[in-house]
């Protein structure tokens, strides 16, 4: 079975690293994964989107997804069209307050998380993308949590290695909040 994830946000939220981390963790576990990145030329504030497809067998879906099983909305800015690509019953992890969980279609399963607050609690204020990924993974059980942490560490460029421990804490705090959701769930 193939599972698709769309991730949308703005540059500086870690959207691309989040998507790469999930794809690498899946392949390290012996699964198949494809990744597509779409981002503006700006470092911060511009559009940033990614698509990840993960499966247990060779993949049929392309990572440029006309429809998807799930999505992470880190920011509403530049997210136009993403919600329309979600199938009925799709999981949405919504980063509040930057994304209003009440603003989604009624046929979606929306789980809200205040990623900035949880990242601050984990003493990882710049790792809200990893909080969202930890939350998503705790709900979907896409990969083992330790696989995410290992993939994240492997993908960090040398000039960001000092953030590995904070990023790991962000993944963990996101993963621990499965029962404590805010907003609506459908």
């Amino acid at each position: 079975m193939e599972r698709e994830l769309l991730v949308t946000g703005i540059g500086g939220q870690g959207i691309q690293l989040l998507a790469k981390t999930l794809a690498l963790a899946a392949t390290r576990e012996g699964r198949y994964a494809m990744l597509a990145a779409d981002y503006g030329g700006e470092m911060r504030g511009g559009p940033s989107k990614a698509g990840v497809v993960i499966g247990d067998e060779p993949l049929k879906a392309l990572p440029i997804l006309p429809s998807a099983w799930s999505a992470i909305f880190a920011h509403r800015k530049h997210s136009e069209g993403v919600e329309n690509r979600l199938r009925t019953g799709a999981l949405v992890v919504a980063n509040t307050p930057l994304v209003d969980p009440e603003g989604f279609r009624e046929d979606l399963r929306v789980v809200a998380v205040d990623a900035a607050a949880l990242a601050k609690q984990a003493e990882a204020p710049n790792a809200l993308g990893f909080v969202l990924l930890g939350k998503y993974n705790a709900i979907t059980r896409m990969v083992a949590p330790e696989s995410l942490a290992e993939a994240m560490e492997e993908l960090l460029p040398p000039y960001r290695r000092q953030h590995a421990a904070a990023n790991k804490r962000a993944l963990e705090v996101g993963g621990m909040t499965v029962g404590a959701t805010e907003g609506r769930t459908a």
Side-chain angles (χ1 to χ4, degrees):
M1 179 173 284
E2 292 181 15
R3 295 290 186 213
E4 311 91 2
L5 168 66
L6 294 169
V7 188
T8 183
I10 60 174
Q13 290 184 305
I15 303 303
Q16 301 306 316
L17 186 56
L18 174 167
K20 288 177 188 176
T21 298
L22 180 59
L24 181 60
T27 59
R28 292 287 191 257
E29 288 186 356
R31 310 213 7 242
Y32 295 87
M34 284 195 285
L35 169 72
D38 177 14
Y39 51 92
E42 307 90 354
M43 286 285 290
R44 298 199 177 270
S48 186
K49 296 177 185 173
V52 181
V53 180
I54 296 174
D56 294 326
E57 298 176 1
L59 300 173
K60 295 177 182 145
L62 296 173
I64 299 169
L65 304 168
S67 70
W69 177 76
S70 62
I72 296 173
F73 281 76
H75 202 291
R76 261 300 188 182
K77 188 175 183 183
H78 309 299
S79 69
E80 54 279 332
V82 174
E83 181 179 347
N84 295 336
R85 292 163 53 193
L86 297 175
R87 295 190 291 272
T88 297
L91 169 66
V92 172
V93 175
N95 178 29
T96 61
L98 298 175
V99 178
D100 178 8
E102 300 297 325
F104 289 94
R105 300 186 332 242
E106 290 295 320
D107 67 333
L108 300 174
R109 179 179 168 217
V110 180
V111 178
V113 59
D114 186 339
L118 289 172
K120 186 176 179 183
Q121 174 188 323
E123 298 179 6
N126 295 324
L128 70 86
F130 285 121
V131 171
L132 294 169
L133 179 57
K135 174 71 136 185
Y136 176 83
N137 194 59
I139 296 167
T140 64
R141 300 176 192 258
M142 197 68 68
V143 296
E146 50 277 359
S147 295
L148 284 179
E150 291 168 8
M152 171 273 298
E153 287 189 50
E154 184 176 335
L155 289 168
L156 284 177
Y159 61 91
R160 296 260 165 94
R161 296 253 185 242
Q162 73 274 20
H163 300 298
N167 291 346
K168 185 175 181 184
R169 290 191 305 272
L171 284 166
E172 290 169 353
V173 76
M176 293 187 306
T177 61
V178 172
T181 60
E182 311 161 23
R184 77 171 170 91
T185 57

